[in-house]
Amino acid sequence: MYWMGLVENTIIQLLGVILLSPLIVGIYASLKSKIELKKGPSFFQPYYDVIKLLKKETVVSKNSGFVFVIVPYVVFGIYCLIALVIPVIISAPIYFTATVDFLGGALLFALAAFLKYLAAMDSGSNFTTMSVARSVSFNYLSEATLITVFFSVALITGTNNPYVINNFIITHPSSYLDLDHVFAIVAFFMLFIFESGRIPVESSGLMELGMIDDGLNYEYSGKLLAILKWGSYMKQFLLGSVFLNVFLIPWGLFTSFPGSIIDLGIMFGKWLILILVLLVIETSLAKLRLFKVQDYLAVAFTFSLLFLIFSVMMK
Amino acid sequence: MISFYSLVYFLAALTMVSSFYLQGQSFIRPMIRGVAVQSILLSSIVFILAYLYHSSTLVILGILLIFLRGILVSFQLESKIRQRSPVLREQSKGLASSFLVALLFVLLGIVVVYFDVFSRIVGPLEIGSSAILLFPFALLFMGLFLIISRKGTFAQVIGYVEEENALILMAVFLLPVPIVIDASVILDVFILVVISSVIVMEKDSHLPMEELRG
């Protein structure tokens, strides 16, 4: 019976991440358009986009090698693996939980990013190579922030397992407003905005001058682009869910099997709250100039270091 | 249940965040408002301590802080800005580097509090562990850094107000209350004198070697 629940929870979490992630992006885009008094796309537009791209022909440049073709599949696989090891939808350990801790999850994200850079450079295009340079020159601060946050979380709870951290906040609600936790929320949220390419860091669209992450996919088309796009939806969903379940709202999730289906709905509700917060930020702030992105990340890094200092001090 | 002590810690940390904001801000008007917010945060800490210790003198200190620091000083500075130009700003020297240097000062604060110097002269505090003293120390060093990193008079005066806030913060955690009030009022009067004298001299900026020229 225990194994039955475990397998079903694993399937629910994996399918939940793969299938729900485009919906979240669609809802966000649609609500944003409505706030800007436009008609806006359907909630299901990302699904339509992916299906359309899957049907289209894939064009691969003569100059590009096999890395360019393989990487979208590998990256998609990495995101699926991350979905199995962190508390994205269900707050109880599932099949692969024991294999990787928080730092391992961060390294998997970094591996996916690294492979995307390799593929973008392998395409031989000047523009994607410039995007790689741009992305790498900002990522050195964001990765440092991410790792600092995870170190400090490990210092608070004595472990680096995200499931235990989630459980720690649930069982110690008084530690929610502790300084280290508050600073972790702020630093991780700033990082989430950067990683998901939102205003004030990056405006998703076709403005090449301000592109950081979108520019990496410029040489892709057809099926490969569909898989990369789906992967980026999953990345956003994974990071946002970690933010929600480990830092911001760790409560409210069921752990046993029948309840884990309800968890999908609960996660959806939590995401709606996060979408509202993001919409307020996105519609009220202006985009930073490109060279100011470093300042933004420096602030996030400062918060994460302060968080590290506080978690050592408050011991 | 969130205790009042953790609230004090939280507000003290917010004052430190506000000093990072002051360090990163190059426009003068938001800086003045930032330091006013810092003073109001400080006064809320004083009010909480007044409630915890049942001390009426701390209430008076809180009210003085709001009126003198939060309103009077910032109003004075803002009125002087209006005479100069509608938008006053300084050249930024790179936020990332200045933040990292400011962080170094926070670390320096920790070193002073934790190692040797302070642990010998401070007994157990009423507020809890002596870790709380990190905040005033960090604020003090960051105020100093604000003064030395800027050339504009306004920014330097704001750095001075920040240092004063740090002194008050340290004092409410350490000293008997009436001395704190006296010191605070004297410093406030002093800063008003400084501001008016600086404005009278109409010096926009101060270069390091200026005063030494023969």
PDB file of all heavy atoms in Angstrom, chain A residues 241-267:
ATOM      1  N   SER A 241       7.343  27.030  -7.677  1.00  0.00           N
ATOM      2  CA  SER A 241       6.766  26.112  -6.696  1.00  0.00           C
ATOM      3  C   SER A 241       7.685  25.918  -5.507  1.00  0.00           C
ATOM      4  O   SER A 241       7.221  25.800  -4.369  1.00  0.00           O
ATOM      5  CB  SER A 241       6.471  24.759  -7.341  1.00  0.00           C
ATOM      6  OG  SER A 241       5.609  24.940  -8.421  1.00  0.00           O
ATOM      7  N   VAL A 242       8.999  25.889  -5.766  1.00  0.00           N
ATOM      8  CA  VAL A 242       9.942  25.809  -4.638  1.00  0.00           C
ATOM      9  C   VAL A 242       9.789  27.053  -3.766  1.00  0.00           C
ATOM     10  O   VAL A 242       9.724  26.972  -2.533  1.00  0.00           O
ATOM     11  CB  VAL A 242      11.398  25.697  -5.145  1.00  0.00           C
ATOM     12  CG1 VAL A 242      12.374  25.916  -4.015  1.00  0.00           C
ATOM     13  CG2 VAL A 242      11.633  24.347  -5.757  1.00  0.00           C
ATOM     14  N   PHE A 243       9.692  28.196  -4.428  1.00  0.00           N
ATOM     15  CA  PHE A 243       9.515  29.451  -3.681  1.00  0.00           C
ATOM     16  C   PHE A 243       8.251  29.390  -2.822  1.00  0.00           C
ATOM     17  O   PHE A 243       8.248  29.761  -1.648  1.00  0.00           O
ATOM     18  CB  PHE A 243       9.466  30.618  -4.661  1.00  0.00           C
ATOM     19  CG  PHE A 243       9.142  31.924  -4.011  1.00  0.00           C
ATOM     20  CD1 PHE A 243      10.025  32.498  -3.124  1.00  0.00           C
ATOM     21  CD2 PHE A 243       7.954  32.580  -4.277  1.00  0.00           C
ATOM     22  CE1 PHE A 243       9.732  33.702  -2.504  1.00  0.00           C
ATOM     23  CE2 PHE A 243       7.652  33.779  -3.672  1.00  0.00           C
ATOM     24  CZ  PHE A 243       8.543  34.340  -2.782  1.00  0.00           C
ATOM     25  N   LEU A 244       7.152  28.886  -3.434  1.00  0.00           N
ATOM     26  CA  LEU A 244       5.882  28.844  -2.706  1.00  0.00           C
ATOM     27  C   LEU A 244       5.910  27.804  -1.587  1.00  0.00           C
ATOM     28  O   LEU A 244       5.507  28.080  -0.462  1.00  0.00           O
ATOM     29  CB  LEU A 244       4.745  28.492  -3.678  1.00  0.00           C
ATOM     30  CG  LEU A 244       4.300  29.602  -4.618  1.00  0.00           C
ATOM     31  CD1 LEU A 244       3.405  29.041  -5.700  1.00  0.00           C
ATOM     32  CD2 LEU A 244       3.562  30.676  -3.851  1.00  0.00           C
ATOM     33  N   ASN A 245       6.397  26.604  -1.895  1.00  0.00           N
ATOM     34  CA  ASN A 245       6.272  25.492  -0.948  1.00  0.00           C
ATOM     35  C   ASN A 245       7.340  25.465   0.127  1.00  0.00           C
ATOM     36  O   ASN A 245       7.110  24.925   1.202  1.00  0.00           O
ATOM     37  CB  ASN A 245       6.318  24.157  -1.693  1.00  0.00           C
ATOM     38  CG  ASN A 245       5.011  23.879  -2.379  1.00  0.00           C
ATOM     39  OD1 ASN A 245       4.012  24.496  -2.060  1.00  0.00           O
ATOM     40  ND2 ASN A 245       5.019  22.975  -3.325  1.00  0.00           N
ATOM     41  N   VAL A 246       8.499  26.002  -0.166  1.00  0.00           N
ATOM     42  CA  VAL A 246       9.565  25.951   0.831  1.00  0.00           C
ATOM     43  C   VAL A 246       9.663  27.272   1.594  1.00  0.00           C
ATOM     44  O   VAL A 246       9.944  27.283   2.780  1.00  0.00           O
ATOM     45  CB  VAL A 246      10.919  25.602   0.173  1.00  0.00           C
ATOM     46  CG1 VAL A 246      12.038  25.596   1.200  1.00  0.00           C
ATOM     47  CG2 VAL A 246      10.839  24.251  -0.499  1.00  0.00           C
ATOM     48  N   PHE A 247       9.419  28.396   0.898  1.00  0.00           N
ATOM     49  CA  PHE A 247       9.659  29.683   1.541  1.00  0.00           C
ATOM     50  C   PHE A 247       8.378  30.449   1.894  1.00  0.00           C
ATOM     51  O   PHE A 247       8.165  30.807   3.037  1.00  0.00           O
ATOM     52  CB  PHE A 247      10.533  30.567   0.645  1.00  0.00           C
ATOM     53  CG  PHE A 247      11.914  30.031   0.470  1.00  0.00           C
ATOM     54  CD1 PHE A 247      12.279  29.390  -0.690  1.00  0.00           C
ATOM     55  CD2 PHE A 247      12.850  30.150   1.475  1.00  0.00           C
ATOM     56  CE1 PHE A 247      13.553  28.889  -0.851  1.00  0.00           C
ATOM     57  CE2 PHE A 247      14.130  29.646   1.331  1.00  0.00           C
ATOM     58  CZ  PHE A 247      14.478  29.016   0.166  1.00  0.00           C
ATOM     59  N   LEU A 248       7.510  30.685   0.907  1.00  0.00           N
ATOM     60  CA  LEU A 248       6.423  31.648   1.129  1.00  0.00           C
ATOM     61  C   LEU A 248       5.211  31.029   1.825  1.00  0.00           C
ATOM     62  O   LEU A 248       4.775  31.508   2.872  1.00  0.00           O
ATOM     63  CB  LEU A 248       6.013  32.280  -0.207  1.00  0.00           C
ATOM     64  CG  LEU A 248       5.106  33.500  -0.095  1.00  0.00           C
ATOM     65  CD1 LEU A 248       5.837  34.640   0.580  1.00  0.00           C
ATOM     66  CD2 LEU A 248       4.625  33.942  -1.469  1.00  0.00           C
ATOM     67  N   ILE A 249       4.608  29.994   1.217  1.00  0.00           N
ATOM     68  CA  ILE A 249       3.395  29.389   1.811  1.00  0.00           C
ATOM     69  C   ILE A 249       3.612  27.879   1.907  1.00  0.00           C
ATOM     70  O   ILE A 249       3.125  27.129   1.059  1.00  0.00           O
ATOM     71  CB  ILE A 249       2.140  29.670   0.935  1.00  0.00           C
ATOM     72  CG1 ILE A 249       2.149  31.095   0.390  1.00  0.00           C
ATOM     73  CG2 ILE A 249       0.869  29.390   1.706  1.00  0.00           C
ATOM     74  CD1 ILE A 249       1.100  31.345  -0.669  1.00  0.00           C
ATOM     75  N   PRO A 250       4.350  27.416   2.908  1.00  0.00           N
ATOM     76  CA  PRO A 250       4.614  25.966   2.957  1.00  0.00           C
ATOM     77  C   PRO A 250       3.420  25.133   3.423  1.00  0.00           C
ATOM     78  O   PRO A 250       3.470  23.920   3.333  1.00  0.00           O
ATOM     79  CB  PRO A 250       5.777  25.863   3.945  1.00  0.00           C
ATOM     80  CG  PRO A 250       5.709  27.084   4.758  1.00  0.00           C
ATOM     81  CD  PRO A 250       5.046  28.146   3.962  1.00  0.00           C
ATOM     82  N   TRP A 251       2.364  25.809   3.896  1.00  0.00           N
ATOM     83  CA  TRP A 251       1.258  25.063   4.487  1.00  0.00           C
ATOM     84  C   TRP A 251       0.260  24.587   3.426  1.00  0.00           C
ATOM     85  O   TRP A 251       0.273  25.047   2.291  1.00  0.00           O
ATOM     86  CB  TRP A 251       0.514  25.937   5.485  1.00  0.00           C
ATOM     87  CG  TRP A 251       1.398  26.437   6.555  1.00  0.00           C
ATOM     88  CD1 TRP A 251       1.817  25.754   7.647  1.00  0.00           C
ATOM     89  CD2 TRP A 251       2.023  27.729   6.617  1.00  0.00           C
ATOM     90  NE1 TRP A 251       2.659  26.541   8.399  1.00  0.00           N
ATOM     91  CE2 TRP A 251       2.798  27.750   7.800  1.00  0.00           C
ATOM     92  CE3 TRP A 251       1.998  28.862   5.804  1.00  0.00           C
ATOM     93  CZ2 TRP A 251       3.543  28.862   8.176  1.00  0.00           C
ATOM     94  CZ3 TRP A 251       2.735  29.960   6.174  1.00  0.00           C
ATOM     95  CH2 TRP A 251       3.503  29.960   7.353  1.00  0.00           C
ATOM     96  N   GLY A 252      -0.629  23.700   3.851  1.00  0.00           N
ATOM     97  CA  GLY A 252      -1.827  23.373   3.063  1.00  0.00           C
ATOM     98  C   GLY A 252      -1.722  22.195   2.132  1.00  0.00           C
ATOM     99  O   GLY A 252      -2.678  21.890   1.428  1.00  0.00           O
ATOM    100  N   LEU A 253      -0.570  21.513   2.110  1.00  0.00           N
ATOM    101  CA  LEU A 253      -0.467  20.394   1.177  1.00  0.00           C
ATOM    102  C   LEU A 253      -0.712  19.062   1.888  1.00  0.00           C
ATOM    103  O   LEU A 253      -0.305  18.872   3.026  1.00  0.00           O
ATOM    104  CB  LEU A 253       0.917  20.375   0.525  1.00  0.00           C
ATOM    105  CG  LEU A 253       1.228  21.529  -0.419  1.00  0.00           C
ATOM    106  CD1 LEU A 253       2.633  21.403  -0.957  1.00  0.00           C
ATOM    107  CD2 LEU A 253       0.244  21.573  -1.577  1.00  0.00           C
ATOM    108  N   PHE A 254      -1.403  18.147   1.184  1.00  0.00           N
ATOM    109  CA  PHE A 254      -1.613  16.798   1.719  1.00  0.00           C
ATOM    110  C   PHE A 254      -0.408  15.938   1.360  1.00  0.00           C
ATOM    111  O   PHE A 254       0.289  16.192   0.380  1.00  0.00           O
ATOM    112  CB  PHE A 254      -2.870  16.174   1.111  1.00  0.00           C
ATOM    113  CG  PHE A 254      -4.123  16.864   1.545  1.00  0.00           C
ATOM    114  CD1 PHE A 254      -4.683  17.855   0.756  1.00  0.00           C
ATOM    115  CD2 PHE A 254      -4.729  16.525   2.739  1.00  0.00           C
ATOM    116  CE1 PHE A 254      -5.832  18.506   1.159  1.00  0.00           C
ATOM    117  CE2 PHE A 254      -5.879  17.176   3.140  1.00  0.00           C
ATOM    118  CZ  PHE A 254      -6.431  18.163   2.348  1.00  0.00           C
ATOM    119  N   THR A 255      -0.195  14.891   2.151  1.00  0.00           N
ATOM    120  CA  THR A 255       0.973  14.063   1.879  1.00  0.00           C
ATOM    121  C   THR A 255       0.621  12.655   1.394  1.00  0.00           C
ATOM    122  O   THR A 255       1.399  12.023   0.706  1.00  0.00           O
ATOM    123  CB  THR A 255       1.842  13.925   3.141  1.00  0.00           C
ATOM    124  OG1 THR A 255       0.988  13.555   4.222  1.00  0.00           O
ATOM    125  CG2 THR A 255       2.547  15.213   3.476  1.00  0.00           C
ATOM    126  N   SER A 256      -0.564  12.167   1.762  1.00  0.00           N
ATOM    127  CA  SER A 256      -0.892  10.785   1.357  1.00  0.00           C
ATOM    128  C   SER A 256      -1.605  10.788   0.008  1.00  0.00           C
ATOM    129  O   SER A 256      -2.012  11.845  -0.495  1.00  0.00           O
ATOM    130  CB  SER A 256      -1.761  10.133   2.419  1.00  0.00           C
ATOM    131  OG  SER A 256      -2.894  10.934   2.617  1.00  0.00           O
ATOM    132  N   PHE A 257      -1.783   9.599  -0.567  1.00  0.00           N
ATOM    133  CA  PHE A 257      -2.174   9.529  -1.965  1.00  0.00           C
ATOM    134  C   PHE A 257      -3.498  10.222  -2.355  1.00  0.00           C
ATOM    135  O   PHE A 257      -3.462  11.126  -3.186  1.00  0.00           O
ATOM    136  CB  PHE A 257      -2.169   8.085  -2.468  1.00  0.00           C
ATOM    137  CG  PHE A 257      -2.937   7.944  -3.752  1.00  0.00           C
ATOM    138  CD1 PHE A 257      -2.575   8.694  -4.861  1.00  0.00           C
ATOM    139  CD2 PHE A 257      -4.038   7.124  -3.830  1.00  0.00           C
ATOM    140  CE1 PHE A 257      -3.290   8.608  -6.041  1.00  0.00           C
ATOM    141  CE2 PHE A 257      -4.750   7.045  -5.011  1.00  0.00           C
ATOM    142  CZ  PHE A 257      -4.381   7.776  -6.106  1.00  0.00           C
ATOM    143  N   PRO A 258      -4.652   9.881  -1.770  1.00  0.00           N
ATOM    144  CA  PRO A 258      -5.845  10.517  -2.363  1.00  0.00           C
ATOM    145  C   PRO A 258      -5.790  12.042  -2.248  1.00  0.00           C
ATOM    146  O   PRO A 258      -6.250  12.749  -3.130  1.00  0.00           O
ATOM    147  CB  PRO A 258      -7.004   9.955  -1.544  1.00  0.00           C
ATOM    148  CG  PRO A 258      -6.455   8.792  -0.801  1.00  0.00           C
ATOM    149  CD  PRO A 258      -5.006   9.020  -0.635  1.00  0.00           C
ATOM    150  N   GLY A 259      -5.159  12.506  -1.136  1.00  0.00           N
ATOM    151  CA  GLY A 259      -5.060  13.953  -0.937  1.00  0.00           C
ATOM    152  C   GLY A 259      -4.129  14.620  -1.928  1.00  0.00           C
ATOM    153  O   GLY A 259      -4.279  15.805  -2.237  1.00  0.00           O
ATOM    154  N   SER A 260      -3.183  13.853  -2.462  1.00  0.00           N
ATOM    155  CA  SER A 260      -2.203  14.467  -3.353  1.00  0.00           C
ATOM    156  C   SER A 260      -2.840  14.912  -4.673  1.00  0.00           C
ATOM    157  O   SER A 260      -2.276  15.749  -5.378  1.00  0.00           O
ATOM    158  CB  SER A 260      -1.040  13.515  -3.612  1.00  0.00           C
ATOM    159  OG  SER A 260      -1.517  12.260  -4.004  1.00  0.00           O
ATOM    160  N   ILE A 261      -4.023  14.350  -4.992  1.00  0.00           N
ATOM    161  CA  ILE A 261      -4.726  14.849  -6.196  1.00  0.00           C
ATOM    162  C   ILE A 261      -5.272  16.249  -5.887  1.00  0.00           C
ATOM    163  O   ILE A 261      -5.213  17.149  -6.728  1.00  0.00           O
ATOM    164  CB  ILE A 261      -5.863  13.891  -6.592  1.00  0.00           C
ATOM    165  CG1 ILE A 261      -5.257  12.522  -6.928  1.00  0.00           C
ATOM    166  CG2 ILE A 261      -6.643  14.417  -7.793  1.00  0.00           C
ATOM    167  CD1 ILE A 261      -6.261  11.452  -7.191  1.00  0.00           C
ATOM    168  N   ILE A 262      -5.756  16.413  -4.644  1.00  0.00           N
ATOM    169  CA  ILE A 262      -6.246  17.753  -4.249  1.00  0.00           C
ATOM    170  C   ILE A 262      -5.085  18.744  -4.248  1.00  0.00           C
ATOM    171  O   ILE A 262      -5.269  19.932  -4.501  1.00  0.00           O
ATOM    172  CB  ILE A 262      -6.899  17.683  -2.850  1.00  0.00           C
ATOM    173  CG1 ILE A 262      -7.975  16.602  -2.850  1.00  0.00           C
ATOM    174  CG2 ILE A 262      -7.504  19.015  -2.444  1.00  0.00           C
ATOM    175  CD1 ILE A 262      -8.516  16.267  -1.485  1.00  0.00           C
ATOM    176  N   ASP A 263      -3.873  18.245  -3.939  1.00  0.00           N
ATOM    177  CA  ASP A 263      -2.689  19.110  -3.936  1.00  0.00           C
ATOM    178  C   ASP A 263      -2.528  19.877  -5.243  1.00  0.00           C
ATOM    179  O   ASP A 263      -2.055  21.019  -5.256  1.00  0.00           O
ATOM    180  CB  ASP A 263      -1.415  18.289  -3.699  1.00  0.00           C
ATOM    181  CG  ASP A 263      -1.222  17.972  -2.233  1.00  0.00           C
ATOM    182  OD1 ASP A 263      -1.952  18.565  -1.425  1.00  0.00           O
ATOM    183  OD2 ASP A 263      -0.353  17.155  -1.916  1.00  0.00           O
ATOM    184  N   LEU A 264      -2.897  19.233  -6.342  1.00  0.00           N
ATOM    185  CA  LEU A 264      -2.798  19.912  -7.645  1.00  0.00           C
ATOM    186  C   LEU A 264      -3.619  21.195  -7.626  1.00  0.00           C
ATOM    187  O   LEU A 264      -3.160  22.255  -8.066  1.00  0.00           O
ATOM    188  CB  LEU A 264      -3.293  18.995  -8.763  1.00  0.00           C
ATOM    189  CG  LEU A 264      -2.376  17.831  -9.154  1.00  0.00           C
ATOM    190  CD1 LEU A 264      -3.092  16.906 -10.111  1.00  0.00           C
ATOM    191  CD2 LEU A 264      -1.106  18.361  -9.789  1.00  0.00           C
ATOM    192  N   GLY A 265      -4.836  21.095  -7.081  1.00  0.00           N
ATOM    193  CA  GLY A 265      -5.712  22.274  -6.990  1.00  0.00           C
ATOM    194  C   GLY A 265      -5.148  23.296  -6.038  1.00  0.00           C
ATOM    195  O   GLY A 265      -5.187  24.504  -6.302  1.00  0.00           O
ATOM    196  N   ILE A 266      -4.593  22.817  -4.907  1.00  0.00           N
ATOM    197  CA  ILE A 266      -4.033  23.751  -3.912  1.00  0.00           C
ATOM    198  C   ILE A 266      -2.847  24.500  -4.513  1.00  0.00           C
ATOM    199  O   ILE A 266      -2.720  25.720  -4.364  1.00  0.00           O
ATOM    200  CB  ILE A 266      -3.606  22.985  -2.640  1.00  0.00           C
ATOM    201  CG1 ILE A 266      -4.842  22.377  -1.968  1.00  0.00           C
ATOM    202  CG2 ILE A 266      -2.879  23.892  -1.676  1.00  0.00           C
ATOM    203  CD1 ILE A 266      -4.524  21.404  -0.868  1.00  0.00           C
ATOM    204  N   MET A 267      -2.003  23.748  -5.231  1.00  0.00           N
ATOM    205  CA  MET A 267      -0.850  24.398  -5.871  1.00  0.00           C
ATOM    206  C   MET A 267      -1.304  25.449  -6.874  1.00  0.00           C
ATOM    207  O   MET A 267      -0.710  26.515  -7.008  1.00  0.00           O
ATOM    208  CB  MET A 267      -0.001  23.362  -6.610  1.00  0.00           C
ATOM    209  CG  MET A 267       1.132  22.765  -5.841  1.00  0.00           C
ATOM    210  SD  MET A 267       2.009  23.934  -4.840  1.00  0.00           S
ATOM    211  CE  MET A 267       2.839  24.904  -6.062  1.00  0.00           C
TER     212      MET A 267
END
